[in-house]
């Protein structure tokens, strides 16, 4: 509690000259989180997931650190933009049907050398060919589905991503890419979302926590075996430059696999609240937003301006931002976070005055940047810089 009170005081001092709503990144916490990701990666390079950062200045900050290499982008348009800005290695994490983007990619040798696109279906190759305006070779990465399948496949745990889950099928897809003129297969990605993105310590639910840990123990073993088999199968077709796996929640486990050459991570830099529930690591909250108190409706209640910034995913209270500082405030159960105002309950409300700030944590990482045009970088109790988010640079890729 004393540390949190101290953090609140220094954030208030640092931003006293600014009007709220506003968003900050604590550079001390950000850098400490980056160092911890590198430590857990055990010498393997960390490819930073841009969807969890969405700020070029902070992408460049983390890429300047030893242990980080390359960006995992979320759209082709974003990847091209980052490559044009000087980032030399950008992997698009999802398949694309961006015809304008492919036209640009195939006609510019510098972009074609820097950007790798994702494929899990031959039809995606046809989209590229139909959009070609040049002869540049397109770098390709294949995605393997590594969801956990139990009860002879009747129970599936994991995200619905690639349709390819069998190493033999993946090798066939590799052959299809290798045979097709204008493409070069360079990488393989397999993302174990059910391990990397699911916390194993659920507050107040010990039985569920135990079940998650058991599931993840089984999943890690099966993912490692499947990924190794898939890599062997694809390397019988073509030599690979990289094999990407992992995520913030599974960095140290994925790094232990011989088949994996690089780790993907991004959310761990900001440490949003969905990443509080992991027993294997602890990150420091680095990205926060402040909302001003504009009403005092009664005893134990204040109302702040704005706040309706829910995260993506299946709707639920875990997708809502939560008041963080001062500690002890909570959302009203019947209102949650509002489009233009948010009531907050709790004893600390009685000590808040009109104009005071309440600091919030977002449920997920980079999505916060879709709400703010800039991030104020706080070092100690000073704002040392202000960096535009993607939105602040006029970029809304999704």
């Amino acid at each position: 509690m004393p540390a949190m009170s101290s953090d609140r005081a220094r954030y208030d001092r640092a931003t006293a000259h600014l009007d709220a709503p506003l968003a900050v990144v604590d550079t001390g916490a950000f850098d400490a989180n980056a160092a911890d990701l590198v430590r857990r990666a055990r010498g393997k390079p960390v490819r930073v997931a841009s969807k969890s950062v969405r700020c070029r200045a902070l992408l460049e900050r983390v890429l300047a650190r030893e242990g980080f290499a390359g960006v995992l982008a979320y759209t082709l348009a974003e990847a091209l933009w980052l490559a044009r800005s000087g980032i030399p290695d950008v992997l698009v994490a999802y398949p694309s049907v961006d015809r304008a983007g492919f036209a640009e990619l195939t006609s510019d040798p510098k972009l074609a050398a820097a950007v790798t696109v994702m494929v899990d279906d031959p039809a995606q190759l046809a989209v590229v060919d139909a959009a070609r305006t040049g002869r540049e070779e397109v770098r390709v990465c294949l995605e393997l589905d590594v969801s956990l399948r139990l009860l002879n496949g009747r129970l599936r745990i994991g995200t619905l991503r690639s349709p390819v889950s069998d190493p033999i099928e993946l090798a066939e897809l590799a052959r299809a890419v290798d045979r097709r003129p204008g493409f070069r297969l360079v990488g393989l990605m397999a993302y174990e979302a059910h391990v990397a993105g699911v916390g194993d310590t659920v507050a107040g639910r010990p039985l569920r926590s135990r079940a998650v840990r058991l599931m993840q123990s089984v999943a890690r073993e099966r993912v490692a075996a499947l990924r190794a088999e898939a890599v062997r199968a694809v390397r019988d077709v073509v030599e690979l430059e990289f094999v990407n796996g992992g995520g913030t929640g599974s960095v140290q486990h994925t790094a232990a696999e011989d088949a994996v050459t690089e780790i993907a991570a991004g959310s761990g830099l900001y440490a949003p609240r969905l990443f509080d529930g992991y027993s294997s690591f602890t990150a420091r909250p680095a990205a926060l937003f402040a909302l001003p108190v504009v009403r005092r409706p009664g005893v134990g209640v204040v109302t702040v301006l704005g706040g309706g910034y829910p995260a993506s995913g299946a709707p639920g209270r875990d997708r809502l931002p939560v008041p963080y500082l001062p500690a002890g405030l909570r959302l009203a159960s019947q209102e949650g976070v509002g489009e233009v105002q948010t009531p907050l309950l709790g004893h600390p409300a009685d000590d808040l005055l009109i104009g005071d700030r309440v600091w919030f944590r977002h449920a997920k990482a980079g999505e916060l940047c879709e709400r703010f045009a800039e991030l104020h970088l706080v070092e100690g109790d000073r704002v040392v810089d202000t960096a535009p988010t993607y939105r602040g640079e006029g970029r809304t890729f999704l």
Side-chain angles (χ1 to χ4, degrees):
M1 189 68 72
M4 293 178 65
S5 297
S6 173
D7 284 343
R8 180 193 174 199
R10 65 187 182 88
Y11 295 148
D12 283 348
R13 285 196 300 271
T15 61
H17 62 293
L18 301 170
D19 286 330
L22 59 87
V24 303
V25 169
D26 183 326
T27 58
F30 182 90
D31 290 344
N33 293 339
D36 189 61
L37 287 172
V38 170
R39 177 190 63 80
R40 291 197 287 135
R42 305 181 184 189
K44 292 186 177 178
V46 178
R47 184 182 292 272
V48 60
S50 62
K51 78 177 183 66
S52 300
V53 180
R54 302 193 201 198
C55 171
R56 275 202 301 170
L58 290 175
L59 286 173
E60 291 166 357
R61 183 187 185 100
V62 76
L63 287 171
R65 298 181 64 95
E66 186 176 354
F68 285 86
V71 169
L72 186 67
Y74 58 95
T75 72
L76 178 58
E78 179 210 11
L80 296 173
W81 179 63
L82 292 174
R84 285 194 299 270
S85 74
I87 294 177
D89 178 8
V90 188
L91 168 62
V92 185
Y94 308 90
S96 177
V97 291
D98 179 354
R99 291 174 296 180
F102 286 130
E104 185 177 2
L105 179 67
T106 56
S107 62
D108 187 319
K110 290 184 179 179
L111 293 179
V115 174
T116 303
V117 303
M118 190 64 63
V119 168
D120 59 32
D121 188 315
Q124 294 152 359
L125 302 174
V127 172
V128 179
D129 277 336
R132 281 184 184 274
T133 57
R135 297 182 177 181
E136 294 302 323
E137 191 174 57
V138 175
R139 293 167 53 86
V140 171
C141 177
L142 304 182
E143 182 169 9
L144 174 72
D145 175 71
V146 290
S147 298
L148 178 62
R149 289 173 170 81
L150 302 171
L151 304 176
N152 292 322
R154 293 193 298 274
L155 175 61
R156 173 190 175 124
I157 301 173
T159 54
L160 294 165
R161 291 177 65 102
S162 170
V164 183
S165 59
D166 181 82
I168 296 175
E169 293 177 4
L170 190 70
E172 285 300 317
L173 181 57
R175 291 186 185 93
V177 175
D178 190 49
R179 288 194 299 263
R180 193 158 185 148
F183 297 90
R184 180 158 61 96
L185 178 57
V186 297
L188 170 63
M189 185 176 85
Y191 173 48
E192 60 272 35
H194 49 305
V195 179
V198 178
D200 63 353
T201 303
V202 185
R205 303 185 67 180
L207 293 179
R208 178 174 174 79
S209 299
R210 193 176 308 162
V212 170
R213 286 193 288 272
L214 177 60
M215 177 275 290
Q216 291 183 340
S217 177
V218 173
R220 284 195 297 268
E221 183 176 339
R222 295 195 183 184
V223 167
L226 179 59
R227 192 151 39 202
E229 184 181 353
V231 170
R232 287 192 297 269
V234 173
R235 281 188 167 145
D236 283 342
V237 179
V238 63
E239 189 53 46
L240 295 172
E241 293 180 13
F242 65 86
V243 176
N244 181 282
T248 289
S250 67
V251 171
Q252 66 275 24
H253 303 296
T254 309
E257 296 180 32
D258 291 337
V260 174
T261 67
E262 63 175 40
I263 312 299
S267 294
L269 295 168
Y270 286 169
R273 75 181 190 93
L274 280 179
F275 283 81
D276 289 347
Y278 290 80
S279 60
S280 59
F281 72 97
T282 301
R284 292 171 53 185
L288 308 170
F289 64 95
L291 302 179
V293 174
V294 292
R295 284 178 170 163
R296 291 170 49 88
V299 176
V301 186
V302 292
T303 302
V304 295
L305 183 69
Y309 314 148
S312 61
R317 291 189 66 82
D318 66 338
R319 301 289 142 170
L320 301 180
V322 292
Y324 177 55
L325 301 171
L329 293 172
R330 65 184 187 278
L331 301 175
S333 60
Q334 293 185 339
E335 295 195 46
V337 289
E339 179 183 8
V340 291
Q341 69 168 33
T342 297
L344 300 172
L345 313 178
H347 293 302
D350 294 330
D351 296 324
L352 291 171
L353 305 177
I354 300 295
D356 284 349
R357 288 170 184 177
V358 176
W359 294 89
F360 284 72
R361 294 177 68 196
H362 202 267
K364 295 181 75 174
E367 291 180 20
L368 173 66
C369 294
E370 300 299 335
R371 297 289 183 167
F372 292 90
E374 56 192 17
L375 298 172
H376 301 287
L377 308 187
V378 174
E379 184 176 302
D381 61 357
R382 297 183 305 118
V383 170
V384 295
D385 200 0
T386 297
T389 61
Y390 281 11
R391 173 179 174 171
E393 295 199 67
R395 304 288 175 166
T396 52
F397 296 110
L398 279 179

